[in-house]
Amino acid sequence: MADPRTVLIEARLERYAEQFGDPASAVLARFFGRYPDAKASFAHHAPHDPEKLETEMVGNTLYYLMTWFDSPVEARIYFDTSVPQHRVALGVPPDWYRAFIEATLDEIEEAVQPASAEESAAWAEVRDALVGLVERNRFV
């Protein structure tokens, strides 16, 4: 049985999808608006199809947003390896990693109002958790 906060996260995502469709292009516009140099990094790491990698990153972010409350250990393991690997091996700064998460959350939160105080609290909690995982791995 899903954590009640997961249900709240999914409800807001569903309202977003009903009103706006797939958030990928809006999230990417936000992210690249803040970090335009990151566009070249995606092209470097996926020269034949950078858009596919960009969209995959949005999907990964949404996945951890939707699964945080039910599988926090999975997210911790992923972030504990992924953030340092992106920084060291791929030259992707933690600021970009964090900004990608924030762009995803900002897009949904600004477009669709919370249905309740509980829903708003769940979103704040998942933001703190995911951004916190990036920050705890910033210098690992």
Side-chain angles (χ1 to χ4, degrees):
M1 183 172 199
D3 185 294
R5 296 166 296 181
T6 299
V7 174
L8 296 170
I9 296 293
E10 290 175 354
R12 196 168 187 182
L13 288 169
E14 287 173 12
R15 292 195 310 276
Y16 182 95
E18 289 169 1
Q19 294 177 38
F20 303 102
D22 184 345
S25 62
V27 167
L28 292 165
R30 280 177 182 270
F31 174 72
F32 290 129
R34 187 168 175 196
Y35 289 101
D37 294 344
K39 191 83 171 157
S41 181
F42 280 94
H44 173 75
H45 293 295
H48 299 293
D49 196 356
E51 293 83 13
K52 180 180 178 187
L53 179 58
E54 294 166 4
T55 303
E56 182 180 314
M57 294 304 296
V58 174
N60 289 347
T61 304
L62 289 169
Y63 173 79
Y64 287 105
L65 172 63
M66 292 184 295
T67 61
W68 169 253
F69 294 113
D70 295 314
S71 301
V73 172
E74 176 188 352
R76 286 185 191 109
I77 291 168
Y78 173 78
F79 279 78
D80 287 354
T81 57
S82 182
V83 174
Q85 189 263 346
H86 274 73
R87 182 178 55 80
V88 174
L90 302 175
V92 174
D95 287 343
W96 290 3
Y97 212 108
R98 178 182 177 149
F100 211 94
I101 293 166
E102 291 174 332
T104 303
L105 293 165
D106 290 348
E107 174 58 28
I108 307 299
E109 289 177 319
E110 290 174 20
V112 178
Q113 294 302 307
S116 65
E118 292 82 10
E119 186 178 273
S120 184
W123 279 78
E125 190 174 344
V126 78
R127 177 185 291 269
D128 288 347
L130 297 181
V131 167
L133 289 174
V134 172
E135 292 305 318
R136 89 179 201 170
N137 288 291
R138 180 173 284 278
F139 301 109
V140 174

